[in-house]
Amino acid sequence: MATTKGSSGVVKLAVSGGSATAMGEVRSFTLSESADTIEDSVMGDTARTYVASLSTASLSMDVYWDDADAVQLVMDTKADLDWELYPTGSGTGEKYYSGSGILTSKEITAAFDGMVEGSFEIQVSGGITEATA
């Protein structure tokens, strides 16, 4: 099984309907997906049974804050965003994930002995598409 360094990853974002552009200074990202289940056990069953229900997802990013990065500057809470996530880089043949969502969290932090940093979280709205660049 092959492994890949995380340093090749790319996050592209745009205000809904715009052209997605790479966000600068990305340090890390996480795409989290989960699904609800509904119990459908009945009398006579000897174990509980379930069926799949609705799914949900979120995308979070940590960056070094760059007030000259146009993509970071559109990251306002409640913004409708389109996103593309390239875990292993955005070259030809690379797998990526895309979708849309709402920016639900934005944090800018600084310390006297550190960098100014930003954290963003997007609540994915609808499904996630998996494709190859």
Side-chain angles (χ1 to χ4, degrees):
M1 176 181 221
T3 59
T4 305
K5 295 186 299 183
S7 61
S8 300
V10 176
V11 178
K12 294 184 178 182
L13 295 157
V15 174
S16 186
S19 181
T21 304
M23 175 183 271
E25 307 298 334
V26 176
R27 299 188 60 229
S28 66
F29 55 79
T30 303
L31 177 61
S32 299
E33 297 180 75
S34 64
D36 295 335
T37 57
I38 301 170
E39 183 179 352
D40 66 346
S41 307
V42 296
M43 288 185 203
D45 288 349
T46 59
R48 294 185 186 277
T49 57
Y50 298 86
V51 295
S53 184
L54 299 174
S55 61
T56 189
S58 64
L59 172 61
S60 60
M61 296 142 287
D62 293 315
V63 303
Y64 284 132
W65 178 247
D66 181 355
D67 63 1
D69 183 344
V71 178
Q72 288 187 22
L73 296 178
V74 301
M75 301 295 283
D76 294 321
T77 55
K78 299 189 204 177
D80 289 322
L81 301 169
D82 295 330
W83 56 269
E84 297 173 2
L85 179 65
Y86 298 78
T88 57
S90 58
T92 302
E94 298 289 350
K95 181 186 287 190
Y96 72 97
Y97 304 88
S98 63
S100 61
I102 300 166
L103 188 71
T104 57
S105 176
K106 172 183 179 178
E107 294 181 359
I108 307 297
T109 59
F112 81 95
D113 60 349
M115 302 294 289
V116 178
E117 299 182 33
S119 295
F120 307 101
E121 184 153 353
I122 297 170
Q123 175 63 55
V124 175
S125 182
I128 294 175
T129 301
E130 184 178 317
T132 302

